[in-house]
Amino acid sequence: MKIVVSGTGYVGLVTGACLAEVGHSVTCVDINEEKVELMKKGVSPIYEPGLDEILLSNYKKGILNFTADFVQAYSDADVIFIGVGTPEREDGSANLEYLYAVAEQIAQNIKKDCLVVIKSTVPVGTNDYVEKYIRENLKNDVNVEVASNPEFLSQGTAIKDTLQASRIVIGVESKKSEELLKTIYERFNIPIVVTNRRSAEMIKYASNDFLALKISFINEIANVCELVGADIEDVTNGMSYDPRIGNKFLKAGIGYGGSCFPKDTKALHWLAEDNGYEIKTVKATIEVNENQKFRLFRKAKKRFNGFKNMKVAILGVTFKPGTDDLREAPSIPNVKALIEEGANVYVYDPIGINNFKTKVSGKINYSEDVQEVLKDADVAFIFTEWDTITSISLKEYRELMKTPVIFDGRNCYKLKDAEESGVEYYSIGRRDIV
Ligand code: UGA
């Protein structure tokens, strides 16, 4: 069976690599020749731990291939997985132009019966429309079906999330498509959930939006904890023993970011509205998150009465550790606001600095040395819980900074340690150490 994967971002490339890892013959298509040459050398165009090794080993075995020649690749494919981006438009809806561009290429170039599998996160109904579109634009007399197979991987743990996924969801409208996808996935030995295409599309949005809702909920509980003298870490610990609640995605912080939760909450809100329904829980999830991003900024502004000419140390800029991705990272609006306030901003991040430079302009000092960033600083903000940040001892802050005042958006330190070390420490959902 010849499998082709279109799109070499997180979803496409990890899918291609993992399908090859379990022994399928896979060709990954990307129109960028330079990227193709790099991937052949085992260099992934995205930062994802463990991916380079899988690319190289399977390329050397001859079962994973990379090409920019989509005409040739699609012509004799049995199955084409689509993993292109579906970024948000200004109104919150999903932008499907990349998806339809691939659909057009498929319609023009397939020369045998083919199953097209959409892995990208798409609004409910898209699989139906893409199938209709391809069928109406076919150049050759072949049969095409479209199936939905949403992706549940997280950046930073993408390989494990794919090879050891909690479930594989397939949305199909025919027994033939179901059997073909089951044959492809049986090697993964993971529970397979079979449903229709629209339900599969909805499973993806509902899953991501539920996780985002959990985070916004716990962030609000944290905000109330601060007002009533409770401690969010103890509260979540006490909640998590109930198996109906669990301990996952209950970490309070500075708000969620990334390429998925912000986009998928807005897209579901838009989709519901487009169908005449206001989805209030998702609306609240979005609003709470927007507000949460500035919680520490507001507290710090009050504490210092503005930031004019202060040296502000920023520790961590990526939306979470283990990725160089800056999309929707809470650090971005915070740094912009600090610059507007006249602060001298010094940024540390182990791998996110290059991407950060493309997102925020202005006078910013960058360093991959935490000590340099903290030295003589008036205040430090923690936005990402990288190991290299959580391993800094509170004593170091006290010794290096001019005034050791820390605003920790990820609750990296114990209050007892902050108290003993003599720093001034503000975190999320816990009492201030002043
Ligand atoms: C998310 C989902 O977790 C994946 O299941 C999904 O497949 C993926 O989106 C996608 O749709 O492609 P990802 O965006 O990589 O994965 O990141 P997460 O690990 O889910 O974290 C998202 C944000 O939530 C981060 O900013 C993180 O710091 C924040 N978060 C997470 C919290 O603030 N608290 C938590 O308890 C967990």
Side-chain angles (χ1 to χ4, degrees):
M1 182 176 356
K2 185 181 168 191
I3 298 177
V4 174
V5 179
S6 171
T8 56
Y10 276 100
V11 174
L13 192 55
V14 173
T15 300
C18 289
L19 286 170
E21 184 68 6
V22 298
H24 289 296
S25 169
V26 181
T27 302
C28 292
V29 174
D30 197 295
I31 44 170
N32 184 329
E33 302 255 7
E34 268 171 49
K35 246 169 136 184
V36 167
E37 286 314 310
L38 275 179
M39 290 188 284
K40 285 181 178 171
K41 294 190 183 102
V43 181
S44 160
I46 51 165
Y47 175 85
E48 184 58 42
L51 185 54
D52 287 2
E53 291 79 356
I54 295 193
L55 294 184
L56 192 60
S57 69
N58 287 295
Y59 177 68
K60 280 187 178 160
K61 277 188 221 159
I63 54 173
L64 180 60
N65 249 299
F66 305 95
T67 182
D69 184 357
F70 64 84
V71 174
Q72 173 61 38
Y74 294 154
S75 66
D76 58 348
D78 296 294
V79 182
I80 302 173
F81 284 86
I82 307 182
V84 295
T86 52
E88 75 183 59
R89 286 211 195 88
E90 229 158 70
D91 63 358
S93 65
N95 177 352
L96 301 179
E97 70 177 289
Y98 306 110
L99 181 70
Y100 275 98
V102 173
E104 170 75 30
Q105 291 165 355
I106 291 174
Q108 293 301 308
N109 294 296
I110 47 174
K111 289 193 181 139
K112 59 192 255 199
D113 292 357
C114 178
L115 177 65
V116 174
V117 185
I118 301 185
K119 284 201 85 69
S120 310
T121 303
V122 291
V124 179
T126 304
N127 276 260
D128 293 355
Y129 305 135
V130 169
E131 184 176 86
K132 189 165 173 281
Y133 182 87
I134 296 178
R135 284 181 178 168
E136 283 174 2
N137 289 281
L138 278 175
K139 209 169 148 198
N140 300 302
D141 184 20
V142 293
N143 286 317
V144 185
E145 276 185 35
V146 172
S148 166
N149 173 216
E151 186 50 66
F152 299 102
L153 61 81
S154 293
Q155 289 176 219
T157 50
I159 306 289
K160 184 175 154 282
D161 291 347
T162 305
L163 292 174
Q164 297 164 39
S166 50
R167 78 295 205 191
I168 291 165
V169 172
I170 55 179
V172 286
E173 301 297 328
S174 79
K175 206 70 198 158
K176 197 171 141 219
S177 300
E178 178 183 335
E179 291 311 321
L180 188 49
L181 277 168
K182 278 185 172 167
T183 311
I184 291 172
Y185 279 124
E186 67 188 359
R187 300 179 191 183
F188 285 74
N189 212 9
I190 290 169
I192 298 179
V193 179
V194 182
T195 179
N196 65 23
R197 288 192 296 223
R198 285 178 183 244
S199 302
E201 291 167 324
M202 188 52 123
I203 288 171
K204 170 66 192 210
Y205 278 116
S207 299
N208 266 7
D209 289 19
F210 181 66
L211 295 172
L213 171 71
K214 267 185 110 175
I215 298 170
S216 276
F217 175 78
I218 210 63
N219 282 340
E220 282 214 291
I221 295 292
N223 299 345
V224 178
C225 280
E226 286 177 26
L227 297 172
V228 298
D231 183 304
I232 191 64
E233 301 294 327
D234 291 344
V235 171
T236 46
N237 181 42
M239 289 165 71
S240 67
Y241 282 84
D242 185 333
R244 293 170 303 174
I245 298 173
N247 63 0
K248 304 277 194 310
F249 282 75
L250 269 193
K251 181 106 184 83
I254 194 74
Y256 61 75
S259 63
C260 308
F261 290 171
K263 164 177 80 75
D264 295 346
T265 42
K266 285 180 214 154
L268 182 57
H269 182 257
W270 183 91
L271 181 78
E273 204 168 52
D274 197 44
N275 284 276
Y277 186 80
E278 189 188 28
I279 186 159
K280 293 199 176 101
T281 46
V282 174
K283 189 171 179 228
T285 300
I286 299 165
E287 276 170 18
V288 169
N289 198 56
E290 282 310 305
N291 201 38
Q292 194 70 11
K293 287 184 199 165
F294 293 105
R295 199 158 169 87
L296 291 181
F297 173 83
R298 281 194 290 265
K299 221 180 211 187
K301 190 173 170 186
K302 210 162 155 200
R303 159 68 178 80
F304 291 106
N305 212 4
F307 299 96
K308 190 125 196 82
N309 296 327
M310 284 173 65
K311 173 169 176 179
V312 179
I314 303 292
L315 304 186
V317 287
T318 54
F319 81 94
K320 66 173 186 177
T323 175
D324 63 351
D325 201 328
L326 259 297
R327 283 176 284 181
E328 301 283 338
S331 64
I332 297 173
N334 275 287
V335 169
K336 284 183 177 165
L338 286 162
I339 293 172
E340 259 171 44
E341 292 276 333
N344 296 321
V345 176
Y346 286 68
V347 170
Y348 162 80
D349 192 282
I351 57 166
I353 285 180
N354 282 342
N355 280 346
F356 193 77
K357 284 181 183 164
T358 66
K359 305 261 181 199
V360 187
S361 53
K363 204 178 152 293
I364 301 173
N365 303 279
Y366 294 97
S367 177
E368 280 174 23
D369 177 0
V370 189
Q371 267 78 16
E372 202 180 306
V373 166
L374 284 175
K375 194 153 176 30
D376 295 327
D378 296 290
V379 57
F381 283 90
I382 302 175
F383 290 123
T384 321
E385 66 277 35
W386 284 104
D387 285 348
T388 51
I389 293 170
T390 56
S391 61
I392 307 168
S393 74
L394 287 158
K395 194 166 147 257
E396 273 181 271
Y397 290 90
R398 204 194 58 226
E399 288 171 2
L400 287 165
M401 294 174 72
K402 192 155 86 191
T403 44
V405 186
I406 306 165
F407 286 85
D408 178 0
R410 298 293 181 182
N411 287 2
C412 298
Y413 296 98
K414 291 201 171 79
L415 290 188
K416 191 170 149 281
D417 295 342
E419 220 153 20
E420 283 170 9
S421 64
V423 296
E424 195 175 318
Y425 181 72
Y426 303 87
S427 53
I428 304 283
R430 303 187 294 178
R431 83 190 144 85
D432 300 336
I433 306 294
V434 288

